[in-house]
Amino acid sequence: MSAVVDSHGHPADEHGQHDQHGAHHGPYGGIMRWITTTNHKDIGTMYLWFSFMMFLVGGTMALVIRAELFQPGMQLVDPDFFNQMNTMHGLIMVFGAIMPAFVGFANWQIPMMIGAPDMAFARLNNWSFWLLPFAASLLVISFFTPGGAPGVGWTLYAPLTVQMGIGMDLTIFAVHLLGMSSILGSINIITTILNMRAPSMGLMRMPLFVWTWLITAYLLLATMPVLAGAVTMTLTDRHFGTTFFNAVGGGDPVLYQHLFWFFGHPEVYIIALPAFGVVSTVIPAFSRKPLFGYTSMVYATFGIAFLSFIVWAHHMYTVGMPVEGQLFFMYATTLIAVPTGVKVFNWVATMWKGSLTFETPMLFAIGFLFLFTLGGFTGLVLSMVPIDIQLHDTYYVVAHFHYVMVAGALFAAFAGVYFWLPKWTGRMYDERLGQIHFWLTMIFFNVTFFVQHFLGLAGMPRRIPDYPLMFETWNRISSIGAFGFGVSQLLFLYIILKAIRHGEKAPRKPWEGAVTLDWTRLPTPAPYHSFETPPVL
Amino acid sequence: MSNNLKTALVLASIALATYAGIIAKYWLLNG
Amino acid sequence: MASKPARSIATWAAVFLGLTFSGLAPALEWNLQPAGSKLAADIHDLHEYVMILSTAIFVGVFGFMFWACYAHRKSKGHKAEQFHENTTVEMLWTVIPALILIGIAWPATRVVVAQKDTSNPALTIKVTGYQWKWGYDYLKGEGEGISFISTLATPREQIENRAPKGENYLLEVDNELVIPIGKKVRILTTAADVIHSWWMPAFGAKQDAIPGFIRDLWLRPEKTGTFRSQCVELCGKEHGFMPIVVRVVTQDEYSKWVGEKKKALAAAADDPNREYNIDELRQRGERVYAANCVACHQPTGKGAPPAFPPLDGSAVVLGPQERQIKLVLNGKPDTAMQAFGTQLNDVELAAVITFTRNNWSNRTGQVIQPSDVKALR
């Protein structure tokens, strides 16, 4: 694939007076700028703000859930609405918050890190973003339809989905749009990375963040259509007389689960790999030392991606599959621990004998390393079939995935925002407040979720609005932690707004150990159009 | 046709083929 | 960590948490429920083994990391070395973890195979998941023919916080599953509507109950006692309210129970050929309604439209009898309205239909007899 920059639009005259760039600007002002922009930096910004808003919405739903679970008995909501909160919390966090956050990073950083002027398909990029608020509105509107939002869990299992009201159809439509956005975005990212790198930036000279996104984009391309198929089949089972998931017509509810998890397992790596990419950028910078084992990190990423396709049924150990199936998926799942372990060791080796400082991005990166690995170990526990028989569908699983998705992906996202904010805005955030945000988040996260391991071991099922008395104490502690965690994220909002408005002006390279092209070849803040001529490396 | 467009079409066909293939397979197999 | 406020927050939090956890230690559940069978004990052992191994590796790896955080700090003057690869070390930390994983998967394999072997049971029971209760049918072995529905027995007042909660809140049922100690019991699972899941943690047994399919699990209890658990696959509104209670008794107690249960079921078997008067039917119907209909259609009969239609003033209830009888018998596909014809007998069905037609603001004065129901099956 060619590394020559392809000129595909953006002739100079479209952008008139574009030379002075402070923190505001664009040829149009106001709202039209954001609706029609094809600039990767603008689009990255929109993804990030959208993601944060969805994080707050999804977070509020989590607080409704935790408030109801504070004590046994039904105090606040009825069981049906509780199930709706559960479902929408999951869908909004996965598809509305965490995935768009990393797409925001991809948009901002990939062109700058490879020396390209923008993404390959700038207009397509705009559409990929604007699909998201539309899809999110559908999800929110479903609450106001007769019957409310669907109460089926974010996994949307059949045949329960067939019983739901019209909110289910809106959700299916939203999932189609979200999937479309991801697929189009992936095509854009792959094409950009393969075709638009600066000359002499071979693939093995790209920053690891770019590698992780290249591989993630392929995962998205391969698995999103499978999810689309599964929800389409749900739609036709609901309205058009098909029986894909109904035994009465010769179908099988478990078929839905196979299709969903064939998407669902790679999905968690779609979320984790870009997080690994961020951490692989931040840790070397604050260790003032190159990433240890770049080549193995690339291979490990490939290994994880490939293996992610053959482990899906570890989410389904209790459906009644034959023992050979259980054994195959158990062995394949334990294998994933090998490349993941390699990555963890490589990050620690990067820190080893470095010259470490602990600004906020590094705190979150280290927090990620510690807690994501802990989540990895509970994953290992769950991968063992006999243990999973006891833990499947309990709070142990809820604890596990919140460790890897929140203490993993979300912490990496925070690290990325604090790290790159100066490059994007030209301003520094308040370091003291950033550290406070880190510690509050760290502590309250663990209070909320560590105790959920015990709940699962003790036998508390998932997705129940009320529980037997022996689970009360841990639930109380978890709920208190959840509220603390939620409030701490408002501090993050304050820190960002304060930085953007009154932050100290950032030096060209605030991070001594940063080595990628965005830091070494571009001013801070980065200009609206960068690398219009490819850099010579 | 630019290089970028060619790359994009290859990738898009992977996605479309997967989607259409799944629906077709289960439709034809299960009626 | 650099700043002072951050350090003091961390200290206070640690103190607070230390106090919280220490004070509460005895009251809390930390681990899997005590094993009531060899299989469950094997699972306990496997879990402990994986936990110890994981903790050791975790402490080792993060020992390195925290040491680096301390000793390799710039503020301590440490200068960064520039090494960034080492093939030997990479090989080692790829191969050694792979070997450790084999060391975990190997003992696990034995338990996986054992857990799947449901052959040669002494007793076979079919479990059917309904929205939102369990049906038990003793199919083969001593007790064959016994059949009953097991529903949550915790009163609504406790759930709605109008009465103090009993010790077995949400873990008690009207009819417990009774099995003898020391015998291999094969449990077949299926469902009538959506996916449920039957689980007995004390015996290491869990299996999804899938509509239209039959799966199985086995258990061999080695302790007597009452064991409690819950449905463990989201199945709709009342998913949290369909517990599972298994009472394990000695062989003699079991035989005695079988005899008594069979007699009780025969006696309670209502005579479907008799004619009943309206008061008998309304009274009986009220109890059937409370046990089967109230969760969706509400005690007020107002339901929760559109998912759960009202019965008070409803066209179906006030209209032709045949339509309502068929609806209750056969259910409404793709909704939570089940085919109660498979769960209730003709007398119960006649009673509850008569009740709905003569309660709240409905005053049809009509009486449905069991024979009317039977005719439409």
Side-chain angles (χ1 to χ4, degrees), chain A residues 105-189:
Chain A
F105 289 133
N107 263 292
W108 257 106
Q109 295 300 123
I110 291 176
M112 291 199 294
M113 282 173 153
I114 62 177
D118 208 301
M119 299 291 288
F121 304 106
R123 236 175 329 189
L124 190 67
N125 206 11
N126 172 293
W127 295 339
S128 297
F129 171 72
W130 280 108
L131 280 172
L132 294 188
F134 190 60
S137 315
L138 288 178
L139 289 179
V140 171
I141 287 171
S142 73
F143 278 107
F144 300 102
T145 60
V152 294
W154 86 281
T155 46
L156 312 180
Y157 276 12
L160 186 59
T161 45
V162 175
Q163 291 182 349
M164 296 292 126
I166 197 174
M168 185 72 236
D169 304 306
L170 287 178
T171 301
I172 290 174
F173 191 32
V175 168
H176 276 125
L177 294 176
L178 295 164
M180 184 63 58
S181 166
S182 290
I183 291 173
L184 296 175
S186 299
I187 292 175
N188 218 339
I189 287 171

Side-chain angles (χ1 to χ4, degrees), chain A residues 72-75 79-80 83 146-147 151-153 157-160 162-163 237 246-247 251-254 257 287-296 318-323 326-327 330-331 334-335 337-338 342 344-346 348-349 351-358 363 366 369-370 373-374 377 380-381 384-394 396 432 435-436 439-440 443 447 451 454 456-471 473-474 477 512, chain C residues 1-3 5-6 9-10 13 17 20-21 24 27-33 40 43 46-47 50-51 54 57-58 61-62 64-70 72-75 78-86 89-90 93-94 97-98 101 104-105 108-109 111-113 115-116 131 158-161 165-167 169-171 193-195 197 199-208 210-213 215 230-241 305-308 334-336:
Chain A
M74 298 301 296
Q75 286 86 19
D80 191 30
N83 287 340
V152 294
Y157 276 12
L160 186 59
V162 175
Q163 291 182 349
D237 268 19
N246 186 341
D252 185 350
V254 175
Q257 294 185 34
S287 307
R288 294 163 179 73
K289 200 162 151 282
L291 181 67
F292 186 89
Y294 173 88
T295 313
S296 343
T318 61
V319 295
M321 75 174 91
V323 70
Q326 288 181 322
L327 289 173
M330 180 170 91
Y331 299 146
T334 49
L335 270 186
V338 175
V342 165
V344 171
F345 300 139
N346 276 293
V348 174
M351 290 169 71
W352 188 256
K353 300 226 164 122
S355 181
L356 304 170
T357 55
F358 301 100
L363 288 177
I366 294 177
L369 195 47
F370 189 68
T373 308
L374 200 158
F377 278 116
L380 184 65
V381 169
M384 297 287 118
V385 172
I387 306 180
D388 184 73
I389 298 296
Q390 295 285 50
L391 299 176
H392 175 67
D393 246 295
T394 67
Y396 192 91
R432 200 184 60 102
Q435 305 227 345
I436 294 178
W439 285 108
L440 289 175
I443 289 165
V447 172
V451 300
F454 304 135
L457 285 166
M460 181 174 173
R462 286 173 74 169
R463 297 168 167 171
I464 55 176
D466 189 5
Y467 48 81
L469 302 179
M470 66 218 200
F471 303 130
T473 315
W474 292 135
I477 293 176
E512 193 186 329
Chain C
M1 47 177 141
S3 70
I9 291 176
L17 287 170
T20 317
F21 285 130
L24 296 164
L28 300 173
E29 316 290 334
W30 296 90
N31 203 349
L32 295 165
Q33 290 182 17
I43 296 175
L46 189 60
H47 177 243
V50 177
M51 279 258 293
S54 304
I57 296 171
F58 191 75
V61 174
F62 290 98
F64 276 100
M65 189 188 84
F66 284 117
W67 178 256
C69 288
Y70 167 71
H72 303 152
R73 278 175 293 161
K74 181 176 178 193
S75 60
H78 194 269
K79 289 274 172 282
E81 303 195 14
Q82 292 298 307
F83 63 84
H84 58 89
E85 56 192 14
N86 182 327
V89 142
E90 299 261 28
W93 67 43
T94 307
L101 290 170
I104 297 177
T109 302
V111 185
V112 177
V113 172
Q115 207 165 23
K116 269 287 189 177
Q131 281 171 314
Q158 289 187 24
I159 297 175
E160 290 164 6
N161 307 305
K165 296 172 173 53
E167 186 192 343
Y169 178 70
L170 295 192
L171 289 175
D193 33 46
V194 298
I195 302 180
S197 193
W199 181 31
M200 258 292 123
F203 306 122
K206 180 184 290 170
Q207 186 61 258
D208 287 357
I210 300 170
F213 292 85
R215 306 286 193 229
Q230 300 174 271
C231 173
V232 75
E233 181 63 60
L234 177 62
C235 53
K237 198 159 86 83
E238 306 277 304
H239 161 61
F241 302 100
F308 308 119
D334 301 335
T335 67

Side-chain angles (χ1 to χ4, degrees), chain A residues 235-354:
Chain A
L235 188 71
T236 60
D237 268 19
R238 280 170 56 79
H239 295 295
F240 302 114
T242 57
T243 53
F244 290 110
F245 309 129
N246 186 341
V248 164
D252 185 350
V254 175
L255 171 63
Y256 176 85
Q257 294 185 34
H258 281 294
L259 290 171
F260 180 83
W261 287 114
F262 188 81
F263 151 78
H265 194 80
E267 164 70 7
V268 312
Y269 293 104
I270 285 167
I271 293 173
L273 292 184
F276 294 167
V278 173
V279 165
S280 300
T281 312
V282 170
I283 288 185
F286 292 90
S287 307
R288 294 163 179 73
K289 200 162 151 282
L291 181 67
F292 186 89
Y294 173 88
T295 313
S296 343
M297 291 295 258
V298 173
Y299 288 145
T301 311
F302 268 112
I304 292 172
F306 170 71
L307 285 170
S308 75
F309 280 104
I310 58 169
V311 299
W312 78 88
H314 67 227
H315 300 271
M316 294 165 58
Y317 282 147
T318 61
V319 295
M321 75 174 91
V323 70
E324 296 82 0
Q326 288 181 322
L327 289 173
F328 170 78
F329 284 108
M330 180 170 91
Y331 299 146
T333 307
T334 49
L335 270 186
I336 289 209
V338 175
T340 314
V342 165
K343 290 181 104 74
V344 171
F345 300 139
N346 276 293
W347 286 317
V348 174
T350 305
M351 290 169 71
W352 188 256
K353 300 226 164 122

